[in-house]
Amino acid sequence: MLNSGLLLRAFDRPEDVVSWLGAVQSQDYPGAAWALAQRTPGVPEALVHEAFDAGRILRTHILRPTWHFVAPADLRWMLSLSGPRVHACNGSIYRSMELDARTLSRSHTILGRALSGRNWQTRAELATALARGGIRASGTRLAYLVMHAELEALICSGPRRGKQFTYALLDDRVPPARPLDRDAAVVELARRYVRSHGPATSRDFACWSGLTMRDSTAGFAAIAGELTQEVAGGLTYWFAPGRAPSPRRQPVARLLPNYDEYLIAHRDREIVLGDRRLGRKDRFSYHLILDGRVAGSWRPRTGAREIVVEVAAYSRPSSAWTAAIAAEAGRYGRFRSLPVRLSLGLC
């Protein structure tokens, strides 16, 4: 929790959280925005939106075939490293959708023209442009046409238009940067991962980064002198030395979204799950964390005048735990700028 920013909440700005974590899974945009705010002293939702719209936080397909928040300064070298791996994962889908090299090249030309001059476009508008250019673009085929252009560093997120997301040319949103050679990029990504997600195993890093176990092992070996390791449950966990949480007298509760890096960035989750598995016996898709361990699930139910935070705990919480959960629910309400009512029960 300390390394991931959940304990001290020391980051002043949401973009600082993204830079620290390296990449933040964000196909659930509202949940990912809350994940960033969780690691700050109390940034409201509006400030996360402002950082996203201004391009201080970008969203694109990177590391794995899903959206992530990433800092503009990191986007080019991370795409150069992970793009070929994601393309390889998508290969059978490209073929089944008849997305051959000629079609993809034509689509890039059309997308480039449609977005030129900082002409931000929604996905529906890009579909229209592709159709006018003679390329079938709907449903899953459209999703993979756009993802391919993201992975090729042609496009990325633009500012939102109301509640709609737009796309932009990557060169309009990301400053030029000196490229990293592949070996150096593997090492830098491993370093960034361990400092912000450790304790972690090399399998965790391979799962999070989308790289091979060979790359993951090489990355960890290159920075082994910078790290401390401990063996638990037959697995070797690595983490940066010199960071240890101070003893706390009060219980620590967190209401995490469904794809928070604290959980989703690890393959080996036994330390925080015990004998449970995510989703098993859970009533809701978001996660209640008590002193670092998964202790239940929750969801926000937003009405016109208030948010009801429904929490389903695995066991009846003590009065101290109940107070800690209530404080976190209030924090979520301040993030959303709405009053909150807590509904606490058992799963």
Side-chain angles (χ1 to χ4, degrees), residues 281-299:
K281 294 186 178 179
D282 285 347
R283 189 186 304 173
F284 309 125
S285 61
Y286 285 13
H287 309 295
L288 168 66
I289 307 294
L290 300 180
D291 273 355
R293 297 181 183 273
V294 177
S297 62
W298 73 285
R299 72 174 178 184

Side-chain angles (χ1 to χ4, degrees), residues 41-110:
V43 166
E45 186 177 37
L47 287 185
V48 179
H49 294 331
E50 192 275 330
F52 179 80
D53 292 340
R56 298 194 300 275
I57 297 169
L58 299 174
R59 190 170 78 145
T60 193
H61 284 84
I62 201 167
L63 300 184
R64 307 183 301 280
T66 190
W67 271 307
H68 286 78
F69 287 149
V70 66
D74 295 325
L75 184 50
R76 292 185 187 276
W77 69 265
M78 283 191 186
L79 268 179
S80 179
L81 175 63
S82 69
R85 287 286 299 167
V86 183
H87 278 321
C89 290
N90 292 346
S92 61
I93 299 177
Y94 292 156
R95 291 188 290 274
S96 70
M97 297 288 169
E98 299 181 334
L99 297 176
D100 55 26
R102 181 173 179 272
T103 301
L104 291 167
S105 178
R106 284 177 55 217
S107 73
H108 290 182
T109 299
I110 294 168

Side-chain angles (χ1 to χ4, degrees), residues 165-189:
F165 293 97
T166 71
Y167 291 88
L169 291 179
L170 186 141
D171 286 345
D172 288 340
R173 303 282 272 176
V174 180
R178 181 174 60 86
L180 289 178
D181 67 54
R182 191 178 188 283
D183 290 344
V186 169
V187 172
E188 178 59 24
L189 193 63

Side-chain angles (χ1 to χ4, degrees), residues 325-343:
I325 295 168
E328 286 302 297
R331 181 182 172 87
Y332 181 75
R334 291 188 295 277
F335 168 72
R336 295 285 306 279
S337 299
L338 281 172
V340 158
R341 177 163 53 90
L342 175 64
S343 174

Side-chain angles (χ1 to χ4, degrees), residues 22-330:
V24 176
Q25 192 163 326
S26 61
Q27 69 265 45
D28 173 14
Y29 176 86
W34 170 233
L36 301 186
Q38 279 270 51
R39 292 162 168 85
T40 72
V43 166
E45 186 177 37
L47 287 185
V48 179
H49 294 331
E50 192 275 330
F52 179 80
D53 292 340
R56 298 194 300 275
I57 297 169
L58 299 174
R59 190 170 78 145
T60 193
H61 284 84
I62 201 167
L63 300 184
R64 307 183 301 280
T66 190
W67 271 307
H68 286 78
F69 287 149
V70 66
D74 295 325
L75 184 50
R76 292 185 187 276
W77 69 265
M78 283 191 186
L79 268 179
S80 179
L81 175 63
S82 69
R85 287 286 299 167
V86 183
H87 278 321
C89 290
N90 292 346
S92 61
I93 299 177
Y94 292 156
R95 291 188 290 274
S96 70
M97 297 288 169
E98 299 181 334
L99 297 176
D100 55 26
R102 181 173 179 272
T103 301
L104 291 167
S105 178
R106 284 177 55 217
S107 73
H108 290 182
T109 299
I110 294 168
L111 294 174
R113 289 173 179 167
L115 294 170
S116 64
R118 298 180 180 270
N119 182 31
W120 326 127
Q121 297 279 290
T122 65
R123 181 178 289 201
E125 289 166 341
L126 293 181
T128 299
L130 288 166
R132 286 173 179 166
I135 293 179
R136 290 185 294 107
S138 62
T140 303
R141 196 171 199 260
L142 172 61
Y144 278 85
L145 283 164
V146 173
M147 189 193 308
H148 192 280
E150 290 177 311
L151 294 169
E152 288 297 303
L154 175 65
I155 67 175
C156 65
S157 61
R160 294 172 311 137
R161 187 192 303 161
K163 294 186 177 181
Q164 295 188 81
F165 293 97
T166 71
Y167 291 88
L169 291 179
L170 186 141
D171 286 345
D172 288 340
R173 303 282 272 176
V174 180
R178 181 174 60 86
L180 289 178
D181 67 54
R182 191 178 188 283
D183 290 344
V186 169
V187 172
E188 178 59 24
L189 193 63
R191 180 180 290 114
R192 199 79 72 86
Y193 174 78
V194 174
R195 77 175 188 184
S196 59
H197 293 79
T201 68
S202 58
R203 291 197 308 182
D204 290 334
F205 177 55
C207 181
W208 177 81
S209 67
L211 298 176
T212 64
M213 275 302 302
R214 181 176 181 178
D215 282 334
S216 178
T217 302
F220 272 42
I223 59 173
E226 307 171 16
L227 305 177
T228 297
Q229 60 175 294
E230 288 190 18
V231 176
L235 298 172
T236 300
Y237 289 87
W238 299 83
F239 52 97
R243 289 175 59 84
S246 301
R248 301 179 69 90
R249 297 179 181 178
Q250 300 299 321
V252 178
R254 296 292 183 264
L255 297 174
L256 300 188
N258 48 355
Y259 299 114
D260 194 274
E261 291 291 305
Y262 184 68
L263 296 170
I264 201 68
H266 297 265
R267 176 179 176 180
D268 301 306
R269 303 170 185 168
E270 286 77 8
I271 286 178
V272 295
L273 291 179
D275 60 356
R276 295 184 182 271
R277 294 294 179 268
L278 293 184
R280 182 183 177 186
K281 294 186 178 179
D282 285 347
R283 189 186 304 173
F284 309 125
S285 61
Y286 285 13
H287 309 295
L288 168 66
I289 307 294
L290 300 180
D291 273 355
R293 297 181 183 273
V294 177
S297 62
W298 73 285
R299 72 174 178 184
R301 191 156 48 84
T302 304
R305 297 182 178 179
E306 70 171 6
I307 299 172
V308 178
V309 171
E310 297 181 287
V311 176
Y314 294 153
S315 59
R316 190 170 303 280
S318 67
S319 58
W321 281 122
T322 299
I325 295 168
E328 286 302 297

